[in-house]
């Protein structure tokens, strides 16, 4: 984990969330981010493959890269909410029960 020089702006739920905690904290917006990154990458890969023989593999490779990028972005947002770096009203209400 990195070193933060300023205090979190929002309530801290978990200062050092584990990967399982972070993934369990994914909400609908995080899953939409993953889907959007993946869906946007397929046509980009198709168009980037200039030759007809390369378009299919290029499309699938770009889709996988988009999937991994979406997962990493959703993971970053989820862990940021747990650490109090991003707005986390829903998480605070859920963890106070």
């Amino acid at each position: 984990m990195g070193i933060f020089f300023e205090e979190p702006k929002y309530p801290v739920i978990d200062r050092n969330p584990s990967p399982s905690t972070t993934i369990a904290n994914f909400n609908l917006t995080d899953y939409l981010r993953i889907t959007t990154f993946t869906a946007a990458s397929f046509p980009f890969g198709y168009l980037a493959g200039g030759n007809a023989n390369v378009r299919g593999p290029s499309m699938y490779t770009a889709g996988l890269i988009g999937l991994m990028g979406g997962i990493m972005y959703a993971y970053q947002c989820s862990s940021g909410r747990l650490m109090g770096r991003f707005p986390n009203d829903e998480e605070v209400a859920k963890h106070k029960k």
Side-chain angles (χ1 to χ4, degrees):
M1 187 170 133
I3 298 172
F4 296 113
F5 294 109
E6 70 274 348
E7 286 299 313
K9 296 178 183 176
Y10 303 99
V12 176
I13 297 168
D14 189 350
R15 282 207 177 276
N16 189 13
S18 67
S20 60
T21 304
T22 302
I23 292 171
N25 189 53
F26 278 13
N27 59 19
L28 180 63
T29 307
D30 293 324
Y31 288 112
L32 288 175
R33 286 182 179 120
I34 295 170
T35 305
T36 303
F37 273 61
T38 306
S41 297
F42 278 107
F44 177 77
Y46 183 80
L47 295 173
N51 189 347
N53 294 332
V54 181
R55 285 187 176 172
S58 175
M59 178 179 69
Y60 291 118
T61 302
L64 286 173
I65 292 170
L67 175 67
M68 297 311 301
I71 290 170
M72 287 187 275
Y73 185 57
Y75 189 92
Q76 173 184 328
C77 292
S78 178
S79 63
R81 289 191 307 270
L82 289 171
M83 292 187 291
R85 300 289 169 192
F86 300 129
N88 58 1
D89 297 335
E90 294 176 15
E91 286 80 6
V92 170
K94 184 171 64 171
H95 285 81
K96 281 190 177 183
K97 286 184 180 180

